[in-house]
Amino acid sequence: MERIALFIDGANVYAAAKRLGWNFDHRKILEHFSAGGALYNAFYYTAVPTPIDDKQKRFTDALTYMGYTVRTRPLREATDEGGETHRRASLDIEIVTDLLSTSDRFDTAVLLTGDGDFERPVEVLRARGKRVVVACIAEMTSYELRNAADEYVDFKDIREHVERPGYRLPSESRGNSGSEHRPFYTSAALQESDDR
C-alpha cells in the first residue's frame, strides 16, 4: 500500500483560503489526500504570536488532536527603513527538513503550498524515487514548483471534498472594505503585491 505524507504550509494555505473566500476542514484534508493509501504522517507548519493567544492555541491543539504533527515558530517583529513594522516567521527550513529527513518513510509527499522555494527539495525527492503532489491555487503557485511536481491539484477542483461548510473567510477578491487586515501568522513580510 502506498505510504503518504502530508506537509501543509499553514500561512500559504490560509492565504489561499482568503483568496477563495472559503475555509478548509483540516480533518477532511487528511481524509482526502490519504484516501487509497496509508498515511505515514501529516505535518502542519505555522507561526504563532508570543505569548500564544487562546484562538491560536485552540487551533494548534485541534490539529494535534486530529493527528497532525504541528511545527511552530514564534513571530518576530522587524521594522524596515520606512518605519513600517512587519511580523514574520519562516518555516521553510522546517518543511524542507521534514520532507528530506522522513523520505524513507513515505512513497508520496503531498505538499500544500505554492511557494517556489520548494522547487529544489521537490526535485531531490523525485530523484530519490518519491512521487510529489503539490496542491494550492493557480494564482499562488509558482510555475517552477508546479513543473517540478509529479501532479498538481487546484484547491478549487477539490472544494467539495475539503471545505469546512458554513465557515467563510472574507475573500480578497471581494475586498476588505478598504482595510488592510492581514493574517498574523504570515510566513514572510507582506508586500503590496502580496505574492505569497
Side-chain angles (χ1 to χ4, degrees):
M1 182 175 278
E2 181 184 24
R3 301 168 302 165
I4 299 166
L6 195 58
F7 302 86
I8 301 178
D9 178 347
N12 199 276
V13 168
Y14 182 81
K18 290 276 286 183
R19 288 195 183 192
L20 293 167
W22 49 270
N23 206 357
F24 295 94
D25 182 324
H26 291 288
R27 190 181 312 276
K28 288 181 179 179
I29 284 176
L30 274 178
E31 293 166 0
H32 178 77
F33 285 106
S34 63
L39 185 66
Y40 152 65
N41 204 343
F43 297 92
Y44 191 97
Y45 306 85
T46 187
V48 294
T50 305
I52 189 168
D53 63 46
D54 287 343
K55 185 176 180 180
Q56 188 72 9
K57 177 82 167 84
R58 285 192 308 272
F59 177 66
T60 56
D61 287 350
L63 290 172
T64 302
Y65 182 76
M66 287 178 213
Y68 285 92
T69 298
V70 180
R71 304 268 197 242
T72 62
R73 295 247 351 227
L75 279 168
R76 292 186 304 264
E77 284 194 4
T79 305
D80 63 21
E81 56 276 356
E84 225 177 294
T85 301
H86 301 275
R87 296 200 297 179
R88 61 177 289 159
S90 176
L91 285 111
D92 290 2
I93 295 298
E94 283 79 4
I95 297 172
V96 171
T97 299
D98 286 334
L99 274 168
L100 300 179
S101 67
T102 64
S103 65
D104 60 338
R105 298 183 181 155
F106 61 80
D107 304 305
T108 296
V110 180
L111 183 59
L112 275 68
T113 189
D115 189 339
D117 291 344
F118 296 107
E119 175 194 8
R120 188 67 185 123
V122 165
E123 290 173 344
V124 169
L125 285 174
R126 291 187 66 198
R128 293 180 180 179
K130 306 302 176 182
R131 183 170 170 268
V132 181
V133 176
V134 168
C136 196
I137 56 176
E139 57 268 33
M140 287 181 55
T141 306
S142 80
Y143 169 80
E144 293 79 13
L145 179 62
R146 191 169 177 164
N147 188 53
D150 291 288
E151 182 183 347
Y152 173 74
V153 176
D154 193 309
F155 290 148
K156 296 171 191 168
D157 296 336
I158 59 170
R159 178 178 181 173
E160 66 182 288
H161 303 290
V162 298
E163 182 180 8
R164 182 175 173 189
Y167 190 89
R168 296 278 187 248
L169 289 170
S171 171
E172 287 185 358
S173 63
R174 289 194 301 252
N176 287 334
S177 306
S179 72
E180 284 298 313
H181 178 72
R182 298 288 187 191
F184 61 84
Y185 53 91
T186 182
S187 62
L190 298 176
Q191 306 300 319
E192 277 300 313
S193 63
D194 190 13
D195 60 351
R196 290 174 285 180

